[in-house]
C-alpha cells in the first residue's frame, strides 16, 4: 500500500469517528451498542495507522 493511501485511510477513519459520535446520542439503545463497537474498531485502526505514519509529523499536502 502506498503512503498516501494510508494517509487517506487514516483521515477517513478520523472523519468517520466524528460522524458516528454525532449520531450516537440520537440512536436507539440497540443502535448505540453497534455504533460504539464501530467507533472502538475505528480507534484501533487509527492507532495502527498513526504508528505506521509516524504521526509526530503532520500529513504532507497532496501533490496535484
Amino acid at each position: 500500500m502506498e503512503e498516501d493511501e494510508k494517509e487517506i485511510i487514516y483521515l477517513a477513519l478520523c472523519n468517520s469517528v466524528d460522524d458516528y459520535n454525532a449520531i450516537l446520542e440520537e440512536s436507539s439503545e440497540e443502535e448505540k451498542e453497534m455504533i460504539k463497537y464501530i467507533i472502538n474498531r475505528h480507534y484501533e485502526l487509527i492507532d495502527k495507522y498513526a504508528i505506521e505514519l509516524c504521526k509526530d509529523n503532520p500529513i504532507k499536502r497532496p501533490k496535484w
Side-chain angles (χ1 to χ4, degrees), residues 1-14 45 48-50 52-53 55 59-63:
M1 187 178 304
E2 292 185 31
E3 190 73 15
D4 67 333
E5 290 175 347
K6 291 178 184 179
E7 292 171 351
I8 291 168
I9 291 170
Y10 177 85
L11 291 172
L13 287 167
C14 292
L45 293 170
K48 173 188 164 192
Y49 281 105
E52 289 182 23
L53 294 170
K55 294 314 313 162
I59 294 175
K60 300 173 227 55
R61 292 188 176 262
K63 297 176 184 173

Side-chain angles (χ1 to χ4, degrees), residues 42-60:
H42 274 55
Y43 279 131
E44 290 171 10
L45 293 170
I46 287 169
D47 290 344
K48 173 188 164 192
Y49 281 105
I51 291 168
E52 289 182 23
L53 294 170
C54 299
K55 294 314 313 162
D56 299 350
N57 300 323
I59 294 175
K60 300 173 227 55

